[in-house]
C-alpha cells in the first residue's frame, strides 16, 4: 500500500488527516514510468487522476502545422488528468515522463466513490482542485501575455 | 430587478448557484447588491484585490488581460447569467484580469464574505458550490487554453 508520506507530499492532500489519507491509500495505485513514456494521450478518454510522487512529467499539445509543443512541466507533488474525470470529456493534452518518474493514480470509479462517500474529504479534494485550476488560469493568462509580446517580434 | 423574484430567477440561471436548494438561494439573493455600469466601466481591475463576485443581469462584460500600457486582449465575454470574479474570490488573491463593461450593464454583486458564508452554513451547500465552480473553471480553462494555442501557433509560424 502507498505510504502516507507519499500522499502528504501531493498538493491535493495537504491538510488531510491520517484517517483521511488512509481512505485514499486504499484506492490509490502506483507505478514507474521510464523516460519518454506516454502516460496519457490528448483526445483519449480520461480514466485516471495522476499524481507525481517523484520525477517530472511533460504536458504537451499538438499545434496545427507546428507539431508537438510542451505547455507545462510538472514536478513531484503536482497532479493531472482531473479535468476529464470531472467533466467526462476527453483528455485535453498529452503527458510524457521526462526522465524516470514514479506516479500514483486513482481511477475514475474510486475517485467518484471518494467524492460521493465522505463530504468533508470531498470538499477538501474539490477545494484543492479549484485552487489548482485558479493557478493554471492565472499562469495561462500570463503565458498569453508573453506569447502576445513574442508574436510582436 | 426591483424584486426578490427577479433576483432569484437570475441566480437560478447561473451555473454556480442553480444547484443550491431554495432556502440557500434565497439567502444568496438577499445578500446580493444590485448595480449598473456604463460602457467602459471597470468592474474588476487587474492587480487589485477581489472583494466580490458578480452575476451579469443584462449587457456584456469583457475579461481583458493587459498586454501593453494601453492595450488589452479580450479573453472572455460574459453575458446574462454568467458569473465572474470567481477565481480571485476562491484564491483570495488579486485579480489577474480586468472586467470591463462592453455595453451598459446591470449586475448582482455578492461580497466575498457572504459567498463564503453560504458554504459554511452547510457542508452540502459548500459541496454543491465547489462542484459547480469546478465545472465552470474546467470549461473556462479549456477555452483559455484554446486561445493560448492560437498565440503559440502564431509565434511558431
Amino acid at each position: 500500500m502507498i505510504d502516507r508520506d507519499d500522499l502528504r507530499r501531493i498538493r491535493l492532500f495537504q491538510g488531510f488527516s491520517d484517517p483521511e489519507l488512509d481512505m485514499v491509500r486504499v484506492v490509490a495505485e502506483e507505478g514507474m514510468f521510464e523516460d519518454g513514456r506516454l502516460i496519457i494521450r490528448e483526445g483519449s478518454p480520461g480514466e485516471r487522476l495522476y499524481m507525481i510522487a517523484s520525477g517530472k512529467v511533460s504536458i504537451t499539445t499538438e499545434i496545427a502545422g507546428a507539431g508537438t509543443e510542451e505547455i507545462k512541466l510538472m514536478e513531484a507533488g503536482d497532479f493531472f488528468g482531473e479535468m476529464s474525470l470531472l467533466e467526462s470529456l476527453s483528455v485535453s493534452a498529452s503527458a510524457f515522463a521526462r526522465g524516470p518518474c514514479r506516479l500514483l493514480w486513482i481511477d475514475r470509479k474510486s475517485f467518484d466513490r471518494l467524492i460521493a462517500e465522505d463530504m468533508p474529504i470531498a470538499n477538501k479534494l474539490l477545494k484543492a482542485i479549484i485552487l489548482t485550476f485558479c493557478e493554471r488560469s492565472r499562469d495561462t493568462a500570463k503565458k498569453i501575455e508573453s506569447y502576445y509580446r513574442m508574436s510582436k517580434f | 430587478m426591483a424584486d426578490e423574484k427577479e433576483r432569484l430567477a437570475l441566480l437560478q440561471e447561473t451555473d454556480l448557484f442553480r444547484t443550491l436548494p431554495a432556502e440557500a438561494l434565497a439567502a444568496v439573493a438577499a445578500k446580493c447588491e444590485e448595480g449598473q455600469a456604463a460602457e467602459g466601466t471597470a468592474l474588476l481591475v487587474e492587480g487589485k484585490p477581489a472583494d466580490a463576485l458578480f452575476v451579469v443581469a443584462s449587457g456584456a462584460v469583457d475579461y481583458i488581460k493587459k498586454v501593453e500600457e494601453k492595450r488589452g486582449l479580450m479573453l472572455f465575454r460574459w453575458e446574462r447569467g454568467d458569473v465572474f470574479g470567481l477565481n480571485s474570490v476562491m484564491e483570495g488573491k488579486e485579480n489577474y484580469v480586468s472586467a470591463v463593461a462592453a455595453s451598459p450593464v446591470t449586475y448582482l454583486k455578492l461580497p466575498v464574505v457572504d459567498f463564503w458564508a453560504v458554504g459554511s452554513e452547510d457542508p452540502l451547500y459548500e459541496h454543491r458550490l465547489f462542484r459547480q465552480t469546478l465545472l465552470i473553471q474546467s470549461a473556462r480553462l479549456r477555452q483559455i487554453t484554446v486561445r493560448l494555442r492560437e498565440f503559440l501557433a502564431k509565434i511558431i509560424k
Side-chain angles (χ1 to χ4, degrees), chain A residues 61 87 92 123 138 148, chain B residues 71 91 94 138 142 149:
Chain A
T61 189
E87 291 184 298
S92 60
N123 287 357
R138 207 173 267 275
Y148 170 83
Chain B
R71 189 179 156 81
E91 287 184 297
E94 76 285 359
S138 189
R142 280 178 192 270
R149 282 179 192 170

Side-chain angles (χ1 to χ4, degrees), chain A residues 42 60-66 69-71 83-84 86-87 89-93 112 115 119 122-127 129-131 133-138 140-152, chain B residues 46 65-69 71 73 75 86-88 90-91 93-97 116 122-124 126-131 133-135 137-142 144-145 147-157:
Chain A
E42 185 173 350
T60 68
T61 189
E62 292 300 316
I63 304 289
E69 282 295 317
E70 182 177 88
I71 49 174
M83 275 169 77
S84 41
L86 289 161
E87 291 184 298
L89 291 175
S90 59
V91 174
S92 60
D112 287 345
I115 298 278
M119 189 84 72
N123 287 357
K124 276 187 185 179
L125 267 175
L126 296 178
K127 178 93 185 282
I129 299 174
I130 285 171
L131 292 178
F133 277 14
C134 289
E135 208 178 293
R136 286 185 197 164
S137 299
R138 207 173 267 275
T140 308
K142 267 189 201 150
K143 271 187 193 159
I144 287 178
E145 182 187 349
S146 55
Y147 288 170
Y148 170 83
R149 289 195 173 136
M150 284 161 77
S151 72
K152 291 282 161 192
Chain B
E46 187 173 336
K65 176 72 188 161
K66 191 174 167 185
V67 287
E68 286 171 3
E69 194 47 42
R71 189 179 156 81
L73 284 178
L75 301 181
L86 188 56
N87 278 4
S88 305
M90 283 289 170
E91 287 184 297
K93 287 187 178 172
E94 76 285 359
N95 301 306
Y96 61 91
V97 287
W116 287 112
D122 186 323
L124 179 67
E126 184 176 58
H127 186 72
R128 290 186 178 178
L129 285 174
F130 283 175
R131 279 215 82 124
T133 298
L134 276 174
L135 293 178
Q137 282 183 315
S138 189
R140 290 179 183 177
L141 207 46
R142 280 178 192 270
I144 201 175
T145 304
R147 297 297 305 274
L148 183 71
R149 282 179 192 170
E150 288 167 4
F151 275 103
L152 201 52
K154 249 190 211 173
I155 295 168
I156 293 167
K157 280 170 189 168

Side-chain angles (χ1 to χ4, degrees), chain B residues 1-109:
Chain B
M1 249 187 316
D3 68 42
E4 194 83 6
K5 264 189 190 170
E6 280 182 65
R7 284 183 179 204
L8 276 172
L10 174 60
L11 292 173
Q12 270 162 345
E13 283 178 40
T14 66
D15 285 333
L16 182 62
F17 295 114
R18 66 183 165 77
T19 62
L20 285 180
E23 66 273 18
L25 209 56
V28 174
K31 297 284 184 190
C32 283
E33 301 158 17
E34 290 181 21
Q36 295 182 341
E39 184 179 340
T41 307
L43 296 165
L44 299 178
V45 179
E46 187 173 336
K48 293 275 163 70
D51 63 346
L53 59 83
F54 294 78
V55 180
V56 181
S58 68
V61 175
D62 289 342
Y63 249 24
I64 310 270
K65 176 72 188 161
K66 191 174 167 185
V67 287
E68 286 171 3
E69 194 47 42
K70 286 185 177 173
R71 189 179 156 81
L73 284 178
M74 190 188 86
L75 301 181
F76 298 105
R77 169 160 287 190
W78 310 128
E79 291 174 332
R80 182 177 168 85
D82 288 327
V83 173
F84 64 93
L86 188 56
N87 278 4
S88 305
V89 164
M90 283 289 170
E91 287 184 297
K93 287 187 178 172
E94 76 285 359
N95 301 306
Y96 61 91
V97 287
S98 295
V100 180
S103 68
V105 169
T106 59
Y107 58 83
L108 291 180
K109 181 177 175 181

Side-chain angles (χ1 to χ4, degrees), chain A residues 15-32:
Chain A
F16 271 47
S17 64
D18 284 353
E20 287 171 339
L21 287 174
D22 289 342
M23 289 180 74
V24 180
R25 288 171 75 205
V26 172
V27 297
E29 297 172 70
E30 65 178 315
M32 289 297 300

